[in-house]
Amino acid sequence: MPAFTPPPLPSDDKRWKIVNGTMRKNGFARHALIETLHTVQSAFGYLDDDAIRFVAKSLRVPLSQAYGVVTFYHYFSLKPPGKHTMTICTGTACYIKGTDKLVASAEKRLGIPQGQTTKDGNISLMTARCVGACGRAPVVLTDGELQGQMSGEEMLAQLERWAVE
Ligand code: FES
């Protein structure tokens, strides 16, 4: 049997690498379905049709099964997140460098817990587990752009810029 070649990433958005990492870690096995969908949700804030198709194809599970999981668990959302997304890496290297404080400070500034979007639909606050740039910890993705050595001040300044747009 020819070796399985996973499909190409849907775009060059760095967050797909995180999703791919979860699948790779599990050897692209079917049992990684829920964990992978979780990774998509935590990195992007929701799951759209393209994401669900990509995961189903990569893990060789029927699309209906992937949709079944997404619609069964309340945790998953099919709705897009806010206009902007701040994704804070909470993997070990970043955590050691204090991203838990970044999360707490962003939650305070935005008045929402992580995983949610501000009422005006402007900013979503997400977390991800290791985006693969540990050497640049603490890492934050601003609308999918990787920012290394992020300080609390810089992160709050970015949130302010988005707030006044
Ligand atoms: S733990 Fe944050 S990039 Fe690896």
Side-chain angles (χ1 to χ4, degrees):
M1 215 167 84
F4 170 68
T5 316
L9 303 184
S11 73
D12 56 10
D13 187 316
K14 300 255 184 327
R15 290 172 288 185
W16 289 119
K17 291 206 174 134
I18 313 172
V19 175
N20 217 32
T22 298
M23 296 193 288
R24 198 165 348 113
K25 186 184 79 189
N26 288 290
F28 290 93
R30 289 172 182 200
H31 65 71
L33 178 62
I34 293 184
E35 188 184 343
T36 307
L37 294 172
H38 264 276
T39 305
V40 175
Q41 168 86 26
S42 95
F44 289 88
Y46 79 122
L47 296 114
D48 65 8
D49 184 60
D50 284 349
I52 297 169
R53 279 175 193 277
F54 170 66
V55 172
K57 204 167 172 194
S58 303
L59 299 179
R60 289 164 290 172
V61 299
L63 188 57
S64 57
Q65 190 185 334
Y67 261 102
V69 167
V70 172
T71 50
F72 180 78
Y73 292 103
H74 292 304
Y75 166 80
F76 294 120
S77 168
L78 292 159
K79 276 200 307 263
K83 191 168 153 211
H84 297 289
T85 307
M86 175 77 71
T87 309
I88 303 176
C89 178
T90 54
T92 309
C94 289
Y95 185 84
I96 289 168
K97 295 272 184 159
T99 47
D100 55 329
K101 290 187 196 75
L102 291 183
V103 173
S105 137
E107 285 179 333
K108 191 165 168 225
R109 166 65 187 81
L110 298 171
I112 49 165
Q114 55 117 333
Q116 306 254 318
T117 300
T118 51
K119 265 210 190 83
D120 60 6
N122 196 30
I123 302 174
S124 296
L125 178 62
M126 299 297 160
T127 56
R129 296 213 150 231
C130 191
V131 301
C134 308
R136 298 174 61 193
V139 169
V140 168
L141 301 172
T142 54
D143 284 337
E145 272 291 296
L146 196 143
Q147 322 275 348
Q149 277 99 40
M150 181 65 110
S151 70
E153 293 74 36
E154 274 175 89
M155 183 197 68
L156 290 173
Q158 179 62 65
L159 291 176
E160 292 311 324
R161 283 196 289 277
W162 282 341
V164 296
E165 263 177 22

